[in-house]
Amino acid sequence: MEIINATDGYKLGHHRMYPEGTEQVYSNWTPRSNKYFPEATEGSVVFGIQYLIKKYLIDEFNQNFFGLPKEKAIEMFYRRVHNFVGIESVGYRHIEALYDLGYLPIRIKALPEGSICPIRVPMMTITNTKSEFFWLTNYLETLISCTLWMPCTSATRARLYKNELKRHAVHTGFPEDVNLDFLCHDFSMRGMAGLEAAIISGMAHMTSFVGSETIPAIAALEEYYGANSDNELIAATVPATEHSVMCAGGEEDELQTFKRLINELYPSGFVSIVSDTWDFWNVIENFLPKLKKDIMARDGRVVIRPDSGDPVDIICGLRTNPHFHTRMKEGKYYCCYAPFNDDAEYVEVSEGQYYGAYYMLGKIFGWNTTSKDYRYPSTKIGLLYGDSITLERQKQIYMRLENAHMAACNLVLGVGSFSYQYASRDSLGFAIKATACVVNGELKEIFKHPKTDDGTKNSLKGLIAVYQDVNGVYYAEDQVTPEVESGGCLETVFEDGVLKKEYTLKEIRQRINEGLYGKF
């Protein structure tokens, strides 16, 4: 990697453009808006800063810049810039000086990872520690921005899934032995924008949950967040089929495939079986009653996995859909899909479609009851919907189950790449902006306030300190003195090439869980 060139091209000549005598540039990394992520009312989870520091600011710079022979390191910059914009418009002596120094003369201060940073409050500040390298602060902006927005955004989304799950668990009285950490499962890896995006987002998911298919994220948490899968649960999954397995068994022998999986291959423990390869409702209504004796005799749980259709209706049933009308007549089930259309008719649906898969599991295998008298199916059977579960659909599923007096104790919801990849830096309006500089020994408070903007792009002004109010919520004060800026809640995590403070996955998870809904 040409790490010295990991910046926007237009930044290459900025070291010449600052006023003569510039000695320091002071910037901050802030979530400025949740306009495109309205569920994030509390702000953003702080996550990924340690990954950025260890992987890029330390390892990559040490290996692929400072650790190279000087001639090779400078040639890497010279050649790329000369062929890109012309070396005469940029120069390279400042890069030589940085190489000779041997480390990044940068100080980064940040809020604790796993904490919640409100909108328009800086979660991180960055400045140079040697006056000669004032240009380096915002030269690193691009690398910082493209590395940090996704882990922050994905960790925020994962926390929102966890918070809604906990609300539902508290409301319905989940038993204490139900592990919430398994009930939202990461299936996003195949749809992410490359392996690093899958790793970054996968780590972020694991700040709130342990259910995941993203194996490379486990190693990343061990490498960058002090985790150890030998003595702590970072992530886990269960044996599971896919459509190719079921197809290979043949439609006419699908029931035999179920029996082979349940009785021969996995006679105990968990096994997840994708069940909509041909006819999901046939599996629910006909196969499961035939398999009941075998399933109930197992020491473990068989998980049924639908994978197509509207997940809310599949799980909760058409009868709970407020936009449809349903009825029973002479032992048959009917649904009107357009009740406000005078020409619409009721059409016959199956029992499973009417009641939903989750209810049908309880009807077939028996019910358990929570402390608040909500029902859930036998723990010998479970349901996993691993596709298309957005935050909105998660809420719909839990609310419709609650209205039907059911609790999702053995229902796992899958989070895919639509949720984690269908996002951008704009989701939380992340940006790095300079708010102060020192020119010829004088501290200058600078700010951005474009009249053509709606206020989202307005920046703070001058040096910044972040504090907590009586409720533990962070808030910022700008235009503070250097003495005040040195205090507050922003702690130095990186300085002059050295990691100064380290957080573990365990700490981050604990911090996130402490801020969730209610007690469980």
Side-chain angles (χ1 to χ4, degrees):
M1 178 183 289
E2 296 181 352
I3 189 65
I4 192 61
N5 297 324
T7 191
D8 284 311
Y10 72 88
K11 288 183 174 291
L12 293 170
H14 286 181
H15 65 292
R16 292 179 168 183
M17 299 179 190
Y18 282 97
E20 187 174 349
T22 301
E23 303 167 18
Q24 184 180 19
V25 175
Y26 175 92
S27 296
N28 66 85
W29 169 253
T30 301
R32 299 178 299 177
S33 169
N34 67 334
K35 180 169 62 174
Y36 300 111
F37 193 177
E39 299 93 342
T41 55
E42 295 179 86
S44 171
V45 172
V46 181
F47 181 68
I49 296 172
Q50 189 164 293
Y51 171 82
L52 163 78
I53 291 170
K54 285 186 171 184
K55 180 174 176 60
Y56 290 108
L57 303 188
I58 296 176
D59 291 349
E60 285 291 343
F61 268 95
N62 285 346
Q63 293 170 19
N64 294 313
F65 183 66
F66 298 118
L68 298 177
K70 182 175 181 179
E71 181 180 349
K72 184 175 181 179
I74 303 307
E75 171 64 17
M76 181 170 59
F77 179 82
Y78 188 106
R79 175 176 177 269
R80 185 66 59 217
V81 172
H82 185 60
N83 295 337
F84 178 58
V85 69
I87 196 66
E88 65 281 353
S89 66
V90 174
Y92 61 92
R93 297 300 183 190
H94 60 303
I95 302 298
E96 279 192 326
L98 180 62
Y99 179 91
D100 290 340
L101 182 66
Y103 61 86
L104 294 179
I106 289 293
R107 179 184 303 114
I108 293 176
K109 297 174 65 178
L111 296 177
E113 299 218 21
S115 61
I116 305 300
C117 178
I119 301 299
R120 304 202 71 79
V121 173
M123 70 168 61
M124 184 177 85
T125 60
I126 175 172
T127 191
N128 57 296
T129 58
K130 290 185 176 296
S131 59
E132 181 181 355
F133 300 100
F134 64 88
W135 55 270
L136 188 57
T137 299
N138 271 28
Y139 189 88
L140 294 172
E141 172 190 357
T142 313
L143 175 61
I144 293 171
S145 181
C146 73
T147 304
L148 279 189
W149 75 259
M150 178 172 279
C152 290
T153 305
S154 291
T156 301
R157 196 174 298 273
R159 180 183 177 274
L160 289 169
Y161 278 107
K162 184 75 169 285
N163 199 55
E164 172 59 16
L165 169 60
K166 191 175 180 187
R167 181 209 62 77
H168 172 70
V170 172
H171 179 80
T172 59
F174 273 31
E176 291 183 0
D177 61 354
V178 177
N179 190 337
L180 302 187
D181 293 351
F182 281 101
L183 298 190
C184 286
H185 198 93
D186 181 11
F187 287 97
S188 67
M189 183 174 177
R190 68 189 59 192
M192 300 303 287
L195 185 57
E196 186 175 20
I199 290 171
I200 290 174
S201 185
M203 288 194 297
H205 178 86
M206 292 174 194
T207 61
S208 284
F209 296 102
V210 299
S212 176
E213 300 300 318
T214 309
I215 297 173
I218 302 172
L221 286 168
E222 290 185 320
E223 178 73 17
Y224 300 109
Y225 282 93
N228 187 333
S229 61
D230 292 330
N231 53 41
E232 64 183 304
L233 181 56
I234 301 175
T237 190
V238 302
T241 69
E242 66 176 13
H243 287 294
S244 67
V245 172
M246 306 307 289
C247 288
E251 183 176 5
E252 65 280 0
D253 292 323
E254 187 179 17
L255 180 58
Q256 294 305 314
T257 299
F258 271 82
K259 288 183 176 180
R260 176 172 168 266
L261 289 164
I262 292 168
N263 295 324
E264 298 177 26
L265 290 179
Y266 303 101
S268 63
F270 281 75
V271 59
S272 174
I273 306 175
V274 65
S275 305
D276 71 329
T277 304
W278 293 288
D279 187 344
F280 177 71
W281 297 118
N282 183 49
V283 170
I284 294 292
E285 298 165 10
N286 297 314
F287 287 6
L288 291 186
K290 295 176 182 177
L291 296 168
K292 178 179 178 180
K293 183 177 179 181
D294 294 333
I295 291 174
M296 295 300 290
R298 291 178 77 255
D299 179 17
R301 181 179 302 177
V302 174
V303 179
I304 301 301
R305 181 163 74 90
D307 195 44
S308 56
D310 185 310
V312 187
D313 288 338
I314 297 290
I315 294 168
C316 304
L318 297 175
R319 66 180 181 136
T320 66
N321 191 322
H323 303 292
F324 301 154
H325 287 170
T326 58
R327 68 187 183 193
M328 294 177 59
K329 185 177 181 182
E330 298 176 354
K332 295 184 178 181
Y333 306 91
Y334 298 89
C335 179
C336 180
Y337 292 93
F340 303 109
N341 184 341
D342 293 338
D343 298 326
E345 297 181 356
Y346 280 85
V347 297
E348 186 175 352
V349 297
S350 73
E351 181 184 21
Q353 287 176 287
Y354 180 82
Y355 284 110
Y358 197 64
Y359 174 89
M360 291 297 293
L361 296 186
K363 180 183 178 183
I364 296 167
F365 294 94
W367 296 99
N368 292 331
T369 306
T370 72
S371 61
K372 295 186 178 180
D373 204 32
Y374 283 79
R375 294 186 297 174
Y376 62 99
S378 165
T379 56
K380 297 288 186 177
I381 195 77
L383 192 69
L384 161 61
Y385 201 106
D387 183 57
S388 305
I389 305 298
T390 62
L391 288 167
E392 180 182 4
R393 280 176 167 167
Q394 180 200 29
K395 290 182 179 180
Q396 291 174 357
I397 289 166
Y398 292 156
M399 290 304 297
R400 282 165 66 170
L401 289 179
E402 289 170 18
N403 291 339
H405 223 68
M406 291 187 285
C409 300
N410 43 9
L411 170 65
V412 178
L413 300 180
V415 186
S417 58
F418 182 89
S419 293
Y420 282 141
Q421 184 64 62
Y422 205 76
S424 74
R425 182 171 68 95
D426 292 325
S427 296
L428 288 167
F430 274 113
I432 290 179
K433 295 301 169 191
T435 57
C437 61
V438 174
V439 180
N440 295 317
E442 179 185 356
L443 176 65
K444 298 179 65 174
E445 295 178 337
I446 59 178
F447 66 99
K448 177 181 179 180
H449 192 165
K451 291 185 177 180
T452 49
D453 182 59
D454 62 2
T456 299
K457 293 185 176 182
N458 292 352
S459 70
L460 297 176
K461 187 176 183 179
L463 301 179
I464 299 164
V466 175
Y467 302 101
Q468 284 179 298
D469 64 17
V470 293
N471 297 312
V473 178
Y474 291 111
Y475 67 95
E477 290 186 1
D478 61 354
Q479 297 183 272
V480 302
T481 65
E483 292 72 25
V484 172
E485 191 275 340
S486 66
C489 298
L490 292 168
E491 298 183 73
T492 299
V493 293
F494 175 81
E495 187 170 7
D496 292 341
V498 178
L499 182 71
K500 291 292 188 178
K501 186 172 182 61
E502 188 162 4
Y503 297 99
T504 65
L505 174 63
K506 183 178 180 180
E507 290 177 88
I508 293 167
R509 283 175 166 173
Q510 181 177 352
R511 194 169 284 119
I512 287 175
N513 285 330
E514 286 173 350
L516 295 177
Y517 179 96
K519 291 184 178 181
F520 171 64

